[in-house]
Structure formats: structure tokens, C-alpha cells
Amino acid sequence: MSRLLHSSPLARRLLPVSIVLLVVTAFLPPAVGAWPGWFGRLLLFFVAPISEPVRGIASWLSPPEPKTQDTAIAAIQQQAEGYRQQLLRAQVEVEQLRQQITDLQRGALLNDLPVRQMHASVIATSSDLTSHLLRIKAGTAQGVEVNSVATVKGLQLLGRVVNADRRTCEIQPITSPAAGQIRGVVMLSDMIRGPECLLEPRGDGTLVGPVEDLRQWPPGIVLPEGTQPGDPVRVKVRQTVQLFDPSWPKSSQMLTIGVIEEVQPAPDQPLRQVITVRPTLRLERVSEVVLRYSAADEADGGERAGEDGDQ
């Protein structure tokens, strides 16, 4: 045991010598380290004569597939594959155009106001995590102005234009902390509005806020089991919340804010509900938007400008 614990004098001398040799060889030119290749060439000298017969035997045991296609057939097949890929790309473009037309039609049928809509691409996102501004490839040259409303997939509300120059503009998503509060209404069914709510972005892609204490159930709605007339209207998970905010343009009212993901009692008022609403997709990661503004909004803006000038 003592012999294992105490190394021999020769081993103690070899260790520093080995370290010095490693340091010296690390700084030598690469050509100096090529001497081990001599052993490989020596081995190849003895192996090379028998490698060809061995390869021939292997080919005889497992022959390659016969060449049944000449150069002309291969060229035709390559050309056909190119045409196939072009057809697939054209089909994708047609599907994208059909989807854009569908989105524009859905947005135009939202209300009776004449709405102008335009597709635009997202070219950059802000590095500021508190704003999540999206830079869009459309500006005042295309008719975009500050406060123009942006949507995704036709009816999903994205946000408003906060800055605009001639060629580009910046959109503030409703889920960014800098967007502020937004008012909405919970839809009890496809056509029946329920209680209103005041939502505020939480910074994680959702909006949170209290729901109105509504005691009168809208006509035409079927009361839930165990509910009596006069009981407060209770919202549920998976119900849709739509924009119902007078501070937004008229043409944007009833756009979709999101879907109720969670319902909890208010901390200070247990009988009042607080909802968590999540948009139908990640707004900060969209690649294309639909900018919308109506003639009525522009007229309102002109009237307000005239009133301000008269004052």
C-alpha cells in the first residue's frame, strides 16, 4: 500500500518533462507534427495490394443495382420534379390569397360601416419588452394613420398604430404592458351580449380584469340550470370577449379581443368575477396584419379637427 502512495523517482521526473514537451510541441508549426503520418503510409504500403481483390469479392457478393436509366430519362425526371415543386408553390400561394380574401370579407361584414382594409407584412419587432411594438411595411403613403386599427385573421384585434411615417408604421399590441386598459363585452352566445369588462394586459400574452355586476339577463338567453331571474349574470370559461370601447374607432367595435381562459372571484369582492382573457393567437409573433379604417372614422376625425380649429 505504501508503494502505491509514494511514486518512484523516475515517475516524478517524467511528469515535468512530459509537461514541457507538450507545451513546446503546442507552439511548433503544423508541418513538424506530420511525422506520425509515416506510420500510416507504411501500413498502407502493405494493405493496398490486397484491398482491390477484397473490394472485388465484396462487389461480387453484393452487386450494385443495374443502371436502367440513361441520362435523358434522368434529365426528364429532374425537370418533372422541378415542375412539381413549382405547382406546389403555386398551390400554397393560391391558398394564401384565398385566406386573405376570406379575412377581408369577414372583417368587412362585421358592421355596416364602410371599411377600408389592407394587408401588410411585419418587418421587425421592438426589443423593448414593455412595448412589443411591431413595425409594419405600410405607412402614410398607403393611407395608414395614427390610431388606425390592426387585426389578424380578419377579426382578431391586434392593436392600434402609434407611429407612422411614409413607408412604415408601428403597432402597439393590446397584450403589451404599455397598451393600457381596454373595454370589452362578454358574449353569452353568438349574438347576445352579456356583462362588460375592463381588461388590462398582464405582460404574459393575456389580459385580466373585473366583470360588470349585471343582474338583468338579456332577453333570449336560456338561464343556466339553478339560476333564477334576478341572479347575477355569471360568465364562463371559453366565452368570447369582444371590443366594446368608445375610445376606439367605430369600425373596430365588436372585434375579438380573446377567449376567457380563467374565471376567479375578485379579492376584495368575492361575488364579483375577474376574468383572464387570451387572444386566439400570439399577437407579438404574427407575420402579417390587416390594417382597417373606415370613411366614418376619417369623417369623425375631420369633424373633430374642425371643431378644434373653431375653438
Side-chain angles (χ1 to χ4, degrees), residues 134 150-152 156-160 171-175 283 286 289:
L134 302 178
T151 63
V152 188
Q156 170 61 59
L157 179 64
L158 172 63
R160 281 192 286 195
I171 296 176
Q172 181 82 75
I174 58 175
T175 53
L283 300 184
V286 298
V289 304

Side-chain angles (χ1 to χ4, degrees), residues 212-217 228-233 271:
E212 174 190 13
D213 186 11
L214 185 63
R215 298 279 174 170
Q216 183 177 0
W217 286 81
Q228 300 295 329
D231 291 345
V233 178
L271 297 180

